[in-house]
Amino acid sequence: MSTSPLSTPANGGTSGPSPRGAWVRVRGYARDMTPPALALLVFLAAWETLGRLTDPILFAPPSRVWSGFLELLETGRMQRAFGITMNALSVSFLLSVVVGLPLGLVLGRWKLLSDVVEPYLDAIYATPRVVLVPLIILWFGVGYEGRVFLIWLGTFIPIVINTAIGVRNARRDLVEVATSFGADERQLARHVILPGSVPYIMAGLRIAMGRALVGVIVAEIFLDLTGLGGIIQTESAYFRTHRMLAAVLVIALLGTVLIGAFGWLEKRFAAWKESAASS
Amino acid sequence: MSDSKNVKLSIRGIRKVFHIRRAGVRSELLALGGIDLDVADHEFVSVIGPSGSGKTTLLKIVAGLSTPTDGTIAIDGRPVTGPGDDRAVVFQTFGLFPWKTVLDNVRFPLDIRDTAAAEADRLARANIAKVGLEGFEDAHPHQLSGGMQQRVGLARALTADPEILLMDEPFGAIDAQTRELMQEELLKLWSETKKSVMFITHDLDEAVLLADKVVVLTGQPGTVQAVVDVPLPRRRWEYDVRAEPEFARVRHEIWEMLREGIVRHEADEMQAARAAV
Amino acid sequence: MRYLKHLVFALVVFGAWEAGGRFGNPDVLPPFSAVVAAFVDILFGPLPAALLESLRLLVIGFSTALALGVFLGLIVGRYRWLDRTLSPYFSGLYALPTVALVPLVLIWFGFDLSGRVVVVFLASFFPILINVYQGARDTPPDLLEVARSFGVRHEWGLVRRVVIPAAVPFILAGVRLGIGRGVVGMAIAEVYLRLSGLGTLIATYGSSFQTAYLIAAILPLPFLGIVLTKLLALLERRFQVWST
């Protein structure tokens, strides 16, 4: 907690961006990034050496992975696969939000229902999706619908659970404050319960995004050989490790960007939280 | 007692029984054992008592946030049961919405009443200025010190424009020096607005310093032990109240009453802690 | 009757399932009673051996991940230069779906037990590492000062007396996350690398369209995940007595 003097806000952010401040920030950033960048260079150099000295199938060196990436780009396979993956990912994520948010709000307000439903959600959540593949093939076949269902199944649950927790954890003292000023149920929801649950919902979306990424790769490797997961599986079957790794890296990058973006959103939406004041 | 003035708030025979279930065993706790108390128009009443005397419970009942087991609360003679526009609470832990800006927090009572936006804005800004927070309208609570946060709490209560201000140990969570400043400013604000105030505190100096009369509660169950008038002249920010012999006399009188209760409460606490260990 | 509501809801769920199975296509959704019968059948048949084999894989892979995760997490959390060098990559490694690495594991380690263990290890390792790292990094500095002022000199002494006890809640949270992911890793390894344990049962029943048996063979997995996670949550609560 900040115990700032009366005159100035502790963290007002009112001082405009001066060129000097920007320069200091850039320098600080450069200083922060130097050790990890050096570590990455050392790692890449070691990998390159190892790959050249040994079997390139085992340790495809970074230079070969790069050329594998270019090969996949030239034929257009990478772009197509990326589009397919993104399509299934975004559609199932959207469906998860559409189902998860309202269900979470209902479960958060209705204790009896959440008591009886949540054990089943836990059970579905705890089931590795890979073992459901045979069942999903029976139900949806190996096409697009099957993939979307497989991804959705693991993705909507963290949204439900987190939303419900957010609603349930509405601060009782603030409910009391709002009541003391005469707020009714609708105003309570609008002014206290919904805004208070936003950080939980955002955290749920971030977790769900991670789950969706895993789901899309599982679906593309085990259910329907397509997209980026399909490239990984096909290329590794032909021992073209460099191309496979190129696809792995694209997935890793995609995951970092997407989860990073949701992490950023989460911080932004919770800028009012006390914890934000300390940093 | 100030019989000459109109009674604004009248508290009659308030009892509160809590039903407790600990480890499956049900028991009853009598928190308030029949409270009678009047607050007159424009009167500042402090309520003081040891922990466990049910001060906060009493305030919550008056605020309409808790229902009494027995007894009635009446304002201007008409009984009230729930929260209403005639009362506004200033909370010990400030109770600010962390996701709202200072302006939106202060506007809150008007937003609840669906006041027109421009009017709500104007009133809220005026009250923010009144508590000395101009320029902080767009700040969020976490950016403010404790003292500043409670100024927001005060501005919010003023924006509700109640007839009775209910203050629940409002300066208890604020450091000592800021607290003195806030007490002074509260006195000034009160002399301008002339609202009736019921001020809960466990700080004896504060109780005497601010009030026209001090209600002393005894511990478990809470009952009114005495009502002590504070015959010090008003505009108390203009002279050093604590240096007045009258202040020392009233303070001493109340302390003698409280002392016994505090000692007994302390002994009870130790016994309970020993039993728990 | 605390369990009455659960009983009623279960009757609704499984009743609907039973009805759906009887009136629909039993190859797509066999009635619940058929799944129960299939479960009883494999319970006295191939299930115990398969489950044991799966558990062996889980235990080996998870305990390796636990040992290395705690060790490396403490080191990275305690040394600032390591923290600054490596921690930026943690989030990326955490975000990377382990399943994308499985084909690579196959190339590197082959179909043997070692390859399967590596998959479980990879799944469990990062949550444990990252949680232990956070716990070690955020050791309350005042407690470290107290320990130093009372004469704890060596790094190991500080770690043993302050860092690890203070990080216990973090470590347990990492273990709980890690074991959940470990179960997923185990399933992937057994289905993808070489059919073994529960993976064999699931793949066999799946490819022969014995749907009731397929569902019966899947059921132990969520059960395993929930029981392990609940046990660890219980353990966490026990260790958090002092923190409340």
Side-chain angles (χ1 to χ4, degrees):
Chain A
M1 274 299 293
S2 59
T3 47
S4 54
L6 275 167
S7 52
T8 50
N11 191 9
T14 41
S15 62
S18 70
R20 212 185 136 68
W23 173 236
V24 169
R25 256 216 313 265
V26 168
R27 265 194 12 208
Y29 193 67
R31 200 186 49 226
D32 285 349
M33 287 318 289
T34 310
L38 281 176
L40 184 65
L41 279 179
V42 170
F43 176 72
L44 288 178
W47 183 6
E48 184 75 37
T49 321
L50 189 69
R52 289 188 185 210
L53 290 178
T54 59
D55 190 346
I57 290 176
L58 276 179
F59 296 100
S63 54
R64 294 247 321 154
V65 174
W66 177 246
S67 60
F69 178 67
L70 292 180
E71 286 161 32
L72 289 168
L73 272 185
E74 270 163 32
T75 55
R77 245 180 96 198
M78 181 59 92
Q79 294 90 317
R80 264 198 314 282
F82 189 79
I84 291 169
T85 299
M86 283 307 283
N87 179 340
L89 191 68
S90 38
V91 167
S92 41
F93 188 77
L94 219 67
L95 280 175
S96 302
V97 175
V98 168
V99 174
L101 269 182
L103 189 56
L105 292 177
V106 171
L107 292 191
R109 288 302 280 174
W110 192 1
K111 189 173 167 352
L112 177 68
L113 190 68
S114 74
D115 276 354
V116 296
V117 168
E118 276 180 19
Y120 297 86
L121 291 181
D122 285 348
I124 298 172
Y125 195 63
T127 310
R129 279 173 288 182
V130 68
V131 303
L132 296 176
V133 166
L135 213 53
I136 290 172
I137 293 174
L138 277 169
W139 290 346
F140 294 93
V142 293
Y144 181 71
E145 293 82 6
R147 267 184 289 140
V148 168
F149 180 76
L150 181 105
I151 303 164
W152 175 83
L153 197 57
T155 305
F156 85 98
I157 295 176
I159 301 179
V160 175
I161 301 285
N162 267 48
T163 306
I165 291 175
V167 170
R168 234 172 271 146
N169 280 14
R171 279 176 50 186
R172 285 187 41 201
D173 58 329
L174 294 182
V175 169
E176 196 162 69
V177 170
T179 314
S180 85
F181 286 108
D184 57 30
E185 272 290 316
R186 187 183 55 83
Q187 287 167 324
L188 219 55
R190 192 183 132 208
H191 288 283
V192 184
I193 292 163
L194 283 178
S197 61
V198 164
Y200 293 87
I201 294 174
M202 294 312 294
L205 292 183
R206 176 175 48 78
I207 296 167
M209 186 38 89
R211 297 277 301 184
L213 262 156
V214 177
V216 78
I217 302 305
V218 167
E220 289 174 352
I221 290 181
F222 293 93
L223 190 71
D224 182 9
L225 222 50
T226 181
L228 292 169
I231 293 184
I232 292 178
Q233 175 57 16
T234 318
E235 296 304 314
S236 77
Y238 290 106
F239 294 104
R240 290 192 288 254
T241 312
H242 60 299
R243 286 194 192 168
M244 181 205 123
L245 280 176
V248 169
L249 287 177
V250 169
I251 292 167
L253 210 64
L254 179 66
T256 311
V257 168
L258 284 175
I259 293 175
F262 274 88
W264 180 81
L265 273 178
E266 196 181 334
K267 265 205 207 103
R268 260 207 71 100
F269 273 96
W272 44 263
K273 275 184 116 177
E274 270 91 340
S275 57
S278 59
S279 63
Chain B
M1 286 275 216
S2 11
D3 295 319
S4 53
K5 291 186 198 165
N6 289 331
V7 173
K8 186 82 204 165
L9 166 70
S10 110
I11 298 171
R12 283 288 170 275
I14 290 291
R15 281 175 13 102
K16 178 75 182 181
V17 178
F18 285 112
H19 299 272
I20 307 170
R21 245 178 90 169
R22 192 174 291 154
V25 183
R26 278 166 204 245
S27 59
E28 287 188 348
L29 175 80
L30 184 61
L32 293 172
I35 303 273
D36 293 310
L37 178 64
D38 283 337
V39 178
D41 241 349
H42 313 315
E43 192 179 31
F44 197 123
V45 175
S46 289
V47 178
I48 193 167
S51 345
S53 60
K55 309 184 288 282
T56 296
T57 308
L58 179 64
L59 181 124
K60 282 194 175 161
I61 290 173
V62 175
L65 292 171
S66 172
T67 41
T69 310
D70 284 308
T72 54
I73 305 289
I75 292 170
D76 290 330
R78 67 200 141 71
V80 291
T81 48
D85 294 352
D86 43 16
R87 286 148 293 153
V89 185
V90 179
F91 293 84
Q92 181 181 10
T93 49
F94 318 143
L96 301 182
F97 300 107
W99 48 83
K100 286 182 189 283
T101 60
V102 167
L103 180 64
D104 288 340
N105 265 294
V106 174
R107 267 181 54 152
F108 180 73
L110 300 177
D111 287 338
I112 289 300
R113 293 175 205 168
D114 295 324
T115 308
E119 174 71 357
D121 217 69
R122 192 183 61 75
L123 286 169
R125 283 178 193 279
N127 281 314
I128 290 171
K130 218 180 260 178
V131 299
L133 283 181
E134 302 111 309
F136 291 101
E137 285 85 355
D138 297 325
H140 279 93
H142 74 84
Q143 297 169 311
L144 308 177
S145 67
M148 292 166 86
Q149 292 192 35
Q150 194 56 297
R151 283 165 196 263
V152 179
L154 194 56
R156 176 172 63 187
L158 291 175
T159 303
D161 196 23
E163 293 161 42
I164 304 166
L165 211 48
L166 303 172
M167 306 186 79
D168 182 14
E169 301 194 36
F171 308 143
I174 295 170
D175 68 275
Q177 273 128 42
T178 311
R179 191 186 309 159
E180 289 202 17
L181 200 68
M182 300 280 293
Q183 288 162 351
E184 204 177 296
E185 293 197 25
L186 176 63
L187 282 175
K188 287 180 191 167
L189 278 171
W190 173 71
S191 77
E192 285 166 26
T193 58
K194 282 289 177 190
K195 297 192 183 302
S196 306
V197 180
M198 178 171 161
F199 189 101
I200 306 285
T201 181
H202 65 263
D203 179 337
L204 179 50
D205 280 30
E206 184 172 74
V208 179
L209 181 76
L210 296 173
D212 294 319
K213 67 183 190 196
V214 179
V215 176
V216 184
L217 296 187
T218 54
Q220 241 157 11
T223 48
V224 177
Q225 188 177 4
V227 179
V228 181
D229 281 309
V230 184
L232 287 160
R234 272 296 163 187
R235 302 182 72 78
R236 292 183 190 162
W237 62 93
E238 285 176 349
Y239 63 97
D240 187 0
V241 180
R242 289 182 179 81
E244 297 291 312
E246 196 58 22
F247 178 86
R249 189 191 61 73
V250 174
R251 189 189 182 286
H252 179 75
E253 187 185 336
I254 301 173
W255 171 240
E256 285 302 315
M257 285 186 244
L258 284 173
R259 188 194 183 99
E260 196 191 338
I262 293 170
V263 169
R264 199 176 42 204
H265 181 75
E266 199 68 4
D268 288 350
E269 290 273 280
M270 280 176 81
Q271 191 144 29
R274 209 170 278 139
V277 172
Chain C
M1 277 304 283
R2 280 175 60 201
Y3 298 103
L4 185 67
K5 58 188 177 189
H6 290 290
L7 194 70
V8 170
F9 190 72
L11 278 177
V12 171
V13 169
F14 294 114
W17 180 352
E18 182 73 24
R22 281 177 191 252
F23 296 113
N25 179 353
D27 284 341
V28 173
L29 185 72
F32 181 62
S33 53
V35 174
V36 172
F39 186 78
V40 172
D41 192 24
I42 59 171
L43 189 61
F44 296 101
L47 184 61
L51 190 61
L52 223 60
E53 196 180 358
S54 295
L55 277 178
R56 188 171 71 114
L57 173 61
L58 181 65
V59 167
I60 298 174
F62 176 75
S63 45
T64 320
L66 181 61
L68 263 172
V70 170
F71 180 67
L72 290 177
L74 285 175
I75 289 182
V76 178
R78 284 298 293 162
Y79 292 98
R80 244 191 87 63
W81 64 275
L82 268 175
D83 177 1
R84 286 182 53 193
T85 311
L86 296 179
S87 61
Y89 295 109
F90 282 4
S91 54
L93 288 170
Y94 195 70
L96 175 70
T98 319
V99 61
L101 292 175
V102 171
L104 192 66
V105 172
L106 180 63
I107 292 174
W108 282 354
F109 295 92
F111 296 98
D112 289 343
L113 182 66
S114 62
R116 275 175 281 152
V117 167
V118 169
V119 173
V120 177
F121 169 84
L122 280 177
S124 305
F125 175 67
F126 290 111
I128 299 174
L129 172 74
I130 290 170
N131 270 282
V132 175
Y133 150 75
Q134 280 173 346
R137 187 195 56 187
D138 299 341
T139 311
D142 50 337
L143 292 185
L144 287 174
E145 262 167 34
V146 169
R148 283 204 196 92
S149 77
F150 282 109
V152 179
R153 295 268 176 272
H154 304 293
E155 174 65 20
W156 169 237
L158 287 176
V159 167
R160 188 166 57 94
R161 287 176 199 276
V162 183
V163 178
I164 292 182
V168 161
F170 290 86
I171 296 174
L172 287 176
V175 166
R176 179 169 45 81
L177 290 174
I179 198 111
R181 289 205 178 191
V183 172
V184 174
M186 175 192 94
I188 288 175
E190 294 198 322
V191 172
Y192 187 90
L193 287 189
R194 192 182 69 184
L195 291 178
S196 71
L198 292 172
T200 319
L201 293 185
I202 291 165
T204 317
Y205 297 136
S207 56
S208 58
F209 298 104
Q210 292 175 276
T211 315
Y213 280 85
L214 169 63
I215 296 175
I218 291 173
L219 282 180
L221 281 163
F223 189 71
L224 190 65
I226 288 178
V227 166
L228 289 174
T229 311
K230 283 263 148 71
L231 276 178
L232 282 159
L234 220 66
L235 201 66
E236 272 178 74
R237 222 169 299 146
R238 243 190 86 61
F239 271 95
Q240 271 167 354
V241 173
W242 48 263
S243 73
T244 48

